[in-house]
Amino acid sequence: MEIKTKRQNVTSNNPPQSMDNLYREHNSWLKTWLRRRLGCSEIAADLAHDTFVRLIRQKREPLYVNDLREPRTYLARVARRLMIDRHRRQVVENAYLEMLTQQPELAVISAEESSIVLETLIAIDSMLNELKPLVKETFLLSRFDGLTYSEIGNKLGISHST
């Protein structure tokens, strides 16, 4: 029995396809897809590479094309998430660099310290983005705006106990 799609031909009696074959068959396409969206071939190549690294590091059984009806759709989804992560890191990094430019000369830190602070900020941002929006907002209002739980409840329209 043969199932054909627009993008690829998959037969039910084909042996499982390895990650190596998935890379060879779709890496060039993925780089082109990313380059169109990003406008930079170097960043596209980096993200394509990171996409396959992410697949290799998955904690499930080895990935086979037979598991994927549309490997390019799956690769695009993983790559899109990596683009979002990259954008978030850039936003945090730009905010940090802007904050550094506003510091007095005495507060200048070494490149190593700056790198550690930036990585920490990116990790915190990533953890905050994993929270539900209401939980995240509550945490930020409590920790950074110094509001009490009653004030937060009033501001967000929820009960104090929530």
Side-chain angles (χ1 to χ4, degrees):
M1 175 177 166
E2 190 170 315
I3 303 169
K4 292 186 180 185
T5 65
K6 278 194 258 181
R7 297 180 188 194
Q8 66 179 10
N9 292 328
V10 178
T11 59
S12 61
N13 58 2
N14 277 351
Q17 194 166 5
S18 69
M19 180 64 73
D20 182 52
N21 289 338
L22 182 69
Y23 179 85
R24 276 193 249 133
E25 289 180 14
H26 301 289
N27 182 51
S28 179
W29 170 85
L30 183 60
K31 283 194 273 189
T32 302
W33 184 86
L34 286 163
R35 187 173 46 248
R36 282 190 208 128
R37 279 148 185 81
L38 298 168
C40 177
S41 58
E42 290 83 14
I43 295 172
D46 286 345
L47 283 176
H49 171 79
D50 291 348
T51 299
F52 285 99
V53 169
R54 169 113 5 131
L55 295 179
I56 290 168
R57 289 184 176 169
Q58 284 182 344
K59 294 179 182 177
R60 62 184 194 133
E61 293 298 314
L63 181 68
Y64 294 109
V65 171
N66 285 354
D67 294 341
L68 302 173
R69 293 178 191 239
E70 293 288 338
R72 289 183 176 181
T73 302
Y74 185 72
L75 291 170
R77 185 178 335 129
V78 172
R80 200 174 286 117
R81 289 177 182 159
L82 288 170
M83 284 191 300
I84 291 167
D85 290 347
R86 183 179 179 282
H87 175 72
R88 284 182 182 151
R89 279 193 307 275
Q90 283 181 320
V91 168
V92 170
E93 184 174 355
N94 290 341
Y96 174 66
L97 292 174
E98 176 65 27
M99 185 271 314
L100 282 181
T101 62
Q102 296 174 5
Q103 296 299 310
E105 204 56 41
L106 297 175
V108 175
I109 61 175
S110 72
E112 180 182 6
E113 291 171 322
S114 179
S115 178
I116 291 169
V117 168
L118 183 58
E119 289 300 315
T120 303
L121 288 171
I122 290 169
I124 291 169
D125 181 61
S126 177
M127 286 185 260
L128 286 172
N129 284 325
E130 291 177 11
L131 296 174
K132 293 179 181 178
L134 189 60
V135 174
K136 178 181 175 181
E137 183 69 16
T138 302
F139 175 80
L140 293 174
L141 289 171
S142 171
R143 296 295 168 206
F144 295 107
D145 292 349
L147 299 181
T148 66
Y149 290 131
S150 295
E151 293 169 327
I152 294 169
N154 290 335
K155 182 173 180 127
L156 299 178
I158 57 176
S159 70
H160 167 69
S161 61
T162 300

